[in-house]
Amino acid sequence: MLANRAVLEHRAVYYGKRILPWLIALLLGMIALGLLITRVAEHIWPFTVEDSVNRWFAAHRTPTMNTVTFIGSLFGSTPVIIALTAVAALILLWRLHSWFEPLYLCAAVTAQALVFFFTTLVIDRQRPAVKRLDASPPTSSFPSGHTSAAVALYCGLALVLAGLVHRTWQKWLCWALVLMPIFVATSRMYRGMHHPSDVTASFLNGALCITLMSWAILRSAERGGASSRRPVRSTT
């Protein structure tokens, strides 16, 4: 039992040293990007045409698309993201008998949420000046939490699943999951909740969190070999 605990502590320190500095750098980069968009470049193209994009969506709303985008927004909402991440992690753990893939997926989703949350504490951007179809949470418009969460979960899951299948059509089916964040991002803009630059920055946040966790967790599993991918067992 003591050996088991020592291994877990060693891994926690190892991952912390590999992940934390880069995560802080990502947070600072997102804050800098937010300040650039809202304080420096707001009167420079393409940011000057962002409002016209939101107005176009608002002018072309229909009852059918309102329902479709409600579903798209739902797939990026916090309760759904948490539930799907937990279910996906448990299934991966059950099927692969490895902690690395579930840990990678949970870490990617958690990391983007932390970067999103602390960025909104600094960047106070107003939401688009159109009628909003969803209730506005207290966080600012920049970045889009729905979009970055969708990127981390659905694209992160696609990365894992595509590496587990062998047939070409199966890989394409796995990679089709990357369409989900696009659906979520478009839905959020359609519903008047975010500017185009908000969702664009969120794609960057989610993608970099996936890249970081893939490098820190999945690559370490590959270097450790098959034996390191087995769950830690009690030695008592």
Side-chain angles (χ1 to χ4, degrees):
M1 197 66 180
L2 292 177
N4 189 29
R5 180 178 178 180
V7 170
L8 292 175
E9 290 177 351
H10 172 75
R11 288 181 179 176
V13 172
Y14 171 77
Y15 289 134
K17 289 181 178 180
R18 287 174 67 86
I19 293 172
L20 191 57
W22 290 106
L23 195 60
I24 293 174
L26 174 57
L27 171 61
L28 295 177
M30 287 295 296
I31 292 174
L33 180 59
L35 292 174
L36 176 66
I37 292 173
T38 59
R39 303 288 181 85
V40 179
E42 59 180 334
H43 300 299
I44 301 174
W45 188 91
F47 304 109
T48 52
V49 300
E50 283 197 293
D51 288 341
S52 63
V53 175
N54 292 111
R55 288 195 295 268
W56 185 89
F57 276 118
H60 291 81
R61 289 172 179 166
T62 65
T64 299
M65 287 306 299
N66 289 351
T67 301
V68 170
T69 57
F70 172 79
I71 296 172
S73 187
L74 189 64
F75 274 111
S77 64
T78 299
V80 172
I81 290 293
I82 292 175
L84 291 180
T85 301
V87 170
L90 289 173
I91 292 176
L92 289 173
L93 180 61
W94 169 55
R95 296 295 297 174
L96 301 179
H97 304 289
S98 166
W99 288 97
F100 289 100
E101 289 81 4
L103 178 62
Y104 147 78
L105 189 63
C106 293
V109 173
T110 301
Q112 66 76 30
L114 291 173
V115 173
F116 155 76
F117 175 74
F118 286 107
T119 300
T120 61
L121 295 181
V122 179
I123 308 301
D124 185 18
R125 189 183 198 186
Q126 297 298 313
R127 295 188 184 273
V130 297
K131 181 180 179 181
R132 295 187 286 272
L133 299 184
D134 295 328
S136 299
T139 53
S140 72
S141 183
F142 182 94
S144 167
H146 283 66
T147 304
S148 61
V151 173
L153 173 57
Y154 301 114
C155 294
L157 188 58
L159 179 65
V160 171
L161 296 179
L164 298 175
V165 297
H166 303 288
R167 297 180 183 273
T168 302
W169 69 268
Q170 292 174 327
K171 290 184 179 293
W172 278 108
L173 190 60
C174 293
W175 284 115
L177 285 170
V178 303
L179 297 176
M180 187 63 75
I182 299 175
F183 180 31
V184 172
T186 305
S187 297
R188 297 301 285 168
M189 289 189 293
Y190 173 95
R191 300 180 71 79
M193 303 308 296
H194 290 288
H195 307 274
S197 57
D198 298 334
V199 298
T200 301
S202 295
F203 274 101
L204 181 63
N205 179 27
L208 289 177
C209 285
I210 291 173
T211 302
L212 173 59
M213 298 310 166
S214 176
W215 167 75
I217 299 175
L218 296 184
R219 290 293 177 87
S220 67
E222 293 174 359
R223 287 192 298 269
S227 61
S228 68
R229 299 174 69 85
R230 300 192 188 102
V232 178
R233 299 182 182 276
S234 173
T235 57
T236 57

